[in-house]
Amino acid sequence: MSLAVLYSRALSGMDAPLVTVEVHIANGLPSFTIVGLAETEVKESKDRVRAALQNAQFKIPAQRITINLAPADLPKESGRFDLPIALGILAASGQIPTDKLDQYEWAGELALTGILRPIRGALAMTYGASRSGRSFVLPQQNATEAALVKEAVVYPAQSLLQICAHLTEREPLQRFITPTEGYTQIAPSNYPDLEDVKGQTHAKRALEIAASGGHSLLMIGPPGTGKSMLAMRFPGILPSVTEQEALESAAIQSLSSGSFKIANWKHRPFRSPHHTASGVALVGGGSNPRPGEISLAMNGVLFLDELPEFDRKVLEVLREPLESGHITISRAARQAEFPAKFQLIAAMNPCSCGYLGHPNGKCHCTPDQISRYRTRISGPLLDRIDIQIEVPAVPQEELMRQNLTGEKSSVIRQRVEKSHQRQLNRQSKTNGRLSVKEIDQFCALDTTSENLLKNAIHRLNLSARAYHRILKVARTIADLSDIEKINNQHIAEAIQYRRLDKN
């Protein structure tokens, strides 16, 4: 036989479109050609495949070998096509049987010795294979990740020789099944505990509201007041991760260069990029678009410390995903869309020196300097941050008290879980994700509350977006109090969390 057909998968954003690997061996001068919009990594596979076949003691036909990766208009990248190309050559040259090839999909990078190396995007590829009804053969290192797709049939292998032994039925591969139940939700006690933070009762209350309703939050305060400590303890009070959320987060991480680690199963991601991060690093991109920090924080937390130090153009790209929950990356030849449902937790100093309002009186910034510093963050971006609070310096006496402890994260988390479930039962989503129409439906006000909010809008000159944010935060405050109707106390507290609207 001079023709063999196998199946594999490419990556396009979150999708893994099917790729048909056609191998044709014809008479003529020896050559090895790969066609089908293959990028450099794929074109280099002919050298890896040639060496792997030789070292595995197979014969390489001294004929014209043509590899077609279809569809031709879909870009192909990475070394994942090494395995199907090698198997196609063996099948087309009659060195392995062909009757079972169409029952499987194949992916794996070959070492020169024929050993299989792990690939990126195994989770998305496995999901695609399971929907097509075919089993998936991939490197051993990717097996645990791939088996998270419950309906998938996964066969891990360590080498090309092992796969050939399976196809010849000398030594069949064993289907891989992992007990994902063993990777349960991380215990809150494994996170840093909020009781470690002395004082800052107001900030802890804001964190509880943010965790309960899925709200974004900005903390403003001098250095050393505990902003980073509070942010790092925030994941410990978030509600439990559902199976679907865990799978979404794992799929995104599987596409990144760091790949997915099974130890992170059902852990909410916590991403904290440095303020020198570029726009591409934050939102994703590249010639073959990959997810950025906002997507890697899917169903978790994106913490931006020293917010004004980020490039303004970089921060502006956050506006769309904060509203829509996804990001679309467009290139001349292709477009990729990644989910970006994250909670933004940000921190900043009140001025360029950091000590505005601090009791030590160190700040000598002029009003113009303070204004220039704060305008590094645009009004439209601030409008999209639900909760904005001050984190003042903790009094020295309070800081030095040895027996001063606050509530444990586990206690706060119980209230958050209860409020979170109340929101899901009522509207199937958190309050932070409510649309304008849903706000009108679920955040109705009585006359007293409505008058209070009207006065706040007039006095603070609030935008329509800020108005809706206040309503959503008030709805969460009411849910934490287990109260069905929003009252004026809830509205008054929500208004207090619009710190920058008062300047």
Side-chain angles (χ1 to χ4, degrees):
M1 181 180 181
S2 60
L3 178 67
V5 179
L6 298 90
Y7 300 104
S8 187
R9 296 270 164 182
L11 290 176
S12 179
M14 286 293 292
D15 298 324
L18 182 68
V19 172
T20 303
V21 181
E22 301 170 336
V23 181
H24 183 250
I25 300 177
N27 293 327
L29 293 174
S31 64
F32 197 136
T33 307
I34 299 177
V35 298
L37 207 56
E39 299 196 2
T40 303
E41 300 146 296
V42 182
K43 289 180 179 178
E44 290 173 346
S45 95
K46 61 184 179 182
D47 297 315
R48 292 192 296 270
V49 168
R50 190 187 299 276
L53 290 176
Q54 287 177 339
N55 289 320
Q57 306 303 311
F58 288 110
K59 294 180 181 178
I60 301 175
Q63 294 171 285
R64 183 174 181 176
I65 302 172
T66 304
I67 313 293
N68 180 39
L69 305 176
D73 61 345
L74 177 69
K76 325 302 189 301
E77 48 84 27
S78 93
R80 72 175 67 88
F81 299 106
D82 290 2
L83 177 59
I85 289 173
L87 291 174
I89 293 173
L90 294 176
S93 60
Q95 298 180 69
I96 60 172
T98 61
D99 56 326
K100 294 183 179 179
L101 291 179
D102 61 352
Q103 300 175 17
Y104 302 93
E105 292 186 12
W106 317 84
E109 180 182 329
L110 285 173
L112 301 186
T113 58
I115 298 297
L116 286 176
R117 288 179 172 151
I119 56 174
R120 183 176 61 87
L123 196 58
M125 297 170 72
T126 307
Y127 182 69
S130 69
R131 294 184 67 184
S132 71
R134 285 184 284 265
S135 303
F136 194 39
V137 181
L138 77 172
Q140 181 79 46
Q141 296 94 319
N142 293 115
T144 307
E145 170 189 343
L148 293 175
V149 182
K150 289 186 175 180
E151 64 273 20
V153 179
V154 176
Y155 290 99
Q158 295 180 339
S159 68
L160 177 62
L161 280 173
Q162 193 176 13
I163 293 174
C164 292
H166 171 75
L167 291 171
T168 56
E169 298 185 344
R170 292 199 316 265
E171 191 176 340
L173 295 171
Q174 298 298 311
R175 179 181 176 182
F176 187 85
I177 301 175
T178 181
T180 54
E181 294 78 9
Y183 301 100
T184 55
Q185 169 68 36
I186 189 170
S189 58
N190 289 348
Y191 288 113
D193 203 292
L194 267 177
E195 73 168 347
D196 300 337
V197 182
K198 294 186 177 181
Q200 304 301 4
T201 306
H202 180 62
K204 291 177 183 177
R205 169 66 174 172
L207 286 177
E208 181 177 343
I209 294 169
S212 174
H215 302 289
S216 51
L217 181 145
L218 171 63
M219 295 178 282
I220 309 155
T225 56
K227 301 186 297 295
S228 296
M229 283 185 69
L230 289 163
M232 292 177 67
R233 284 152 178 76
F234 183 69
I237 63 172
L238 289 173
S240 302
V241 181
T242 65
E243 194 83 14
Q244 181 62 32
E245 288 176 334
L247 202 56
E248 289 171 348
S249 299
I252 282 286
Q253 291 169 40
S254 173
L255 297 174
S256 70
S257 55
S259 192
F260 171 71
K261 297 177 178 60
I262 192 62
N264 294 330
W265 176 246
K266 287 198 172 181
H267 290 215
R268 290 195 182 273
F270 182 86
R271 309 289 298 189
S272 180
H274 193 260
H275 59 74
T276 55
S278 66
V280 171
L282 205 61
V283 303
S287 56
N288 293 302
R290 293 193 183 186
E293 292 291 338
I294 63 173
S295 295
L296 294 173
M298 177 72 177
N299 296 317
V301 179
L302 177 69
F303 176 48
L304 301 183
D305 200 5
E306 305 295 344
L307 189 64
E309 300 302 327
F310 283 81
D311 186 272
R312 180 163 178 154
K313 292 180 180 178
V314 172
L315 291 180
E316 290 306 294
V317 299
L318 292 175
R319 287 160 57 175
E320 178 197 340
L322 277 173
E323 287 285 338
S324 63
H326 62 83
I327 183 73
T328 301
I329 300 168
S330 298
R331 295 292 178 263
R334 61 191 301 192
Q335 192 177 64
E337 184 175 296
F338 296 105
K341 294 179 182 177
F342 62 93
Q343 269 191 265
L344 175 64
I345 304 295
M348 62 178 283
N349 295 327
C351 63
S352 54
C353 78
Y355 289 98
L356 178 67
H358 196 283
N360 62 19
K362 284 184 180 179
C363 180
H364 298 290
C365 296
T366 65
D368 283 346
Q369 289 174 322
I370 296 170
S371 177
R372 280 197 302 270
Y373 178 76
R374 295 192 176 184
T375 52
R376 293 181 188 177
I377 308 169
S378 70
L381 177 60
L382 283 174
D383 241 9
R384 287 169 168 82
I385 300 178
D386 300 351
I387 300 174
Q388 306 159 9
I389 59 167
E390 280 189 342
V391 183
V394 180
Q396 186 176 0
E397 313 80 55
E398 192 172 352
L399 191 63
M400 297 182 69
R401 285 175 58 185
Q402 298 295 322
N403 59 348
L404 182 66
T405 57
E407 278 189 305
K408 288 182 175 292
S409 292
S410 56
V411 176
I412 299 173
R413 188 167 179 268
Q414 289 177 2
R415 296 197 296 267
V416 168
E417 288 272 16
K418 185 178 178 181
S419 171
H420 179 73
Q421 192 57 51
R422 184 185 181 97
Q423 294 165 45
L424 296 183
N425 293 341
R426 180 178 60 238
Q427 65 226 11
S428 302
K429 62 174 69 172
T430 60
N431 293 328
R433 292 288 171 189
L434 290 175
S435 65
V436 174
K437 186 176 181 180
E438 290 168 332
I439 290 173
D440 293 337
Q441 180 180 354
F442 299 114
C443 303
L445 303 179
D446 57 28
T447 305
T448 306
S449 304
E450 192 173 328
N451 290 335
L452 177 61
L453 186 51
K454 283 180 180 178
N455 290 334
I457 293 171
H458 176 71
R459 290 180 59 189
L460 302 177
N461 196 26
L462 298 176
S463 67
R465 184 177 284 113
Y467 162 75
H468 288 129
R469 302 281 171 177
I470 289 173
L471 284 176
K472 289 193 282 189
V473 172
R475 176 68 270 172
T476 301
I477 295 169
D479 289 332
L480 279 168
S481 303
D482 202 14
I483 296 175
E484 186 62 34
K485 296 286 187 181
I486 299 175
N487 60 38
N488 58 342
Q489 292 181 340
H490 306 141
I491 291 292
E493 184 176 357
I495 293 170
Q496 293 300 312
Y497 296 128
R498 301 296 301 181
R499 171 67 182 84
L500 293 183
D501 291 328
K502 303 174 186 178
N503 293 330

